[in-house]
Amino acid sequence: MENNVRGEAQMANENVAFESKRQVYHYEPPIQKEEAIPKQYFAGFWIRFLAYLVDLVVIAALKGIIINPIFRVSGMGMDDSFFTFYWGMTTIIFLAYFILLTKFFGQTLGKMLFGLRVVKLDGEKLTWLTVLFREGAMRFVLKTIWPLYVVCAFTPNKQGIADFFESTSVVHTGYLELDEKWVNGAKK
């Protein structure tokens, strides 16, 4: 009997120790309804797709102006297969274009042309970490597995895969300009 009581006490201590070692996840409180971005602000799949096509044309022009002449003059091979030097340089141009323009302007040239902007859902300004993950790491993944771009057509806030991870979305700038709570892609 005494062994049974001691065994139960030992199990209770082990359960307490096990429960205290559980990983604690960061809790983000839900955005209040009056603080949420109205649904009509979010940009849909097709307009984002057209903006992306414009961005690809701009990147192709940059590649033709910056990278191709260097490789031609130096006589280096311009093999565009995975993990070649030429592929690495074009990927750097591709990612730098999206990262730098999104960080400094909140939009790329394609988004500017169609009146779109990347914003955080909580209204904060875009941080370097947010932009590096959204436009760097996730853009690389999406460039490799391009059908994942279609996800934004089926989500309530028109969010892509990268937007889910970083709590961002692409919105129409015209609505933000009319809303006095927003200035330069962030809430006042």
Side-chain angles (χ1 to χ4, degrees):
M1 176 94 170
E2 187 177 314
N3 285 339
N4 191 19
V5 171
R6 195 176 316 151
E8 288 175 11
Q10 185 178 6
M11 282 179 54
N13 288 339
E14 288 175 3
N15 285 341
V16 168
F18 175 73
E19 288 175 5
S20 66
K21 291 181 184 178
R22 290 188 341 189
Q23 186 172 359
V24 177
Y25 294 98
H26 177 71
Y27 172 74
E28 290 187 22
I31 298 170
Q32 299 296 325
K33 190 167 182 91
E34 63 272 1
E35 295 295 319
I37 300 172
K39 296 286 183 205
Q40 68 267 23
Y41 284 30
F42 298 109
F45 171 77
W46 289 110
I47 194 162
R48 289 174 69 165
F49 178 70
L50 292 174
Y52 182 66
L53 289 180
V54 170
D55 291 330
L56 290 181
V57 169
V58 171
I59 291 168
L62 289 173
K63 183 175 138 183
I65 293 169
I66 298 171
I67 296 176
N68 291 353
I70 294 171
F71 275 78
R72 287 206 172 102
V73 168
S74 66
M76 295 170 63
M78 294 173 50
D79 182 17
D80 206 14
S81 59
F82 274 137
F83 302 112
T84 60
F85 187 64
Y86 181 75
W87 175 85
M89 295 306 294
T90 57
T91 301
I92 287 171
I93 292 289
F94 178 84
L95 295 176
Y97 170 81
F98 283 103
I99 291 169
L100 295 175
L101 285 175
T102 302
K103 175 56 183 155
F104 292 118
F105 301 106
Q107 51 196 164
T108 60
L109 293 176
K111 288 184 180 83
M112 288 178 196
L113 183 65
F114 289 99
L116 305 177
R117 181 183 196 89
V118 178
V119 296
K120 288 190 62 82
L121 293 178
D122 62 4
E124 298 293 320
K125 288 188 87 93
L126 294 172
T127 63
W128 273 108
L129 212 57
T130 299
V131 172
L132 284 173
F133 185 78
R134 183 185 191 278
E135 300 294 343
M138 290 309 296
R139 185 73 65 178
F140 179 77
V141 169
L142 292 172
K143 180 183 177 191
T144 309
I145 310 169
W146 56 267
L148 291 177
Y149 276 111
V150 179
V151 169
C152 71
F154 303 104
T155 58
N157 292 342
K158 307 299 182 200
Q159 292 177 291
I161 299 291
D163 294 323
F164 277 119
F165 287 119
E166 289 299 325
S167 295
T168 58
S169 192
V170 177
V171 297
H172 294 279
T173 55
Y175 286 118
L176 290 183
E177 291 167 358
L178 293 174
D179 193 341
E180 61 273 351
K181 291 186 276 185
W182 290 82
V183 175
N184 291 329
K187 286 192 176 180
K188 290 181 181 179

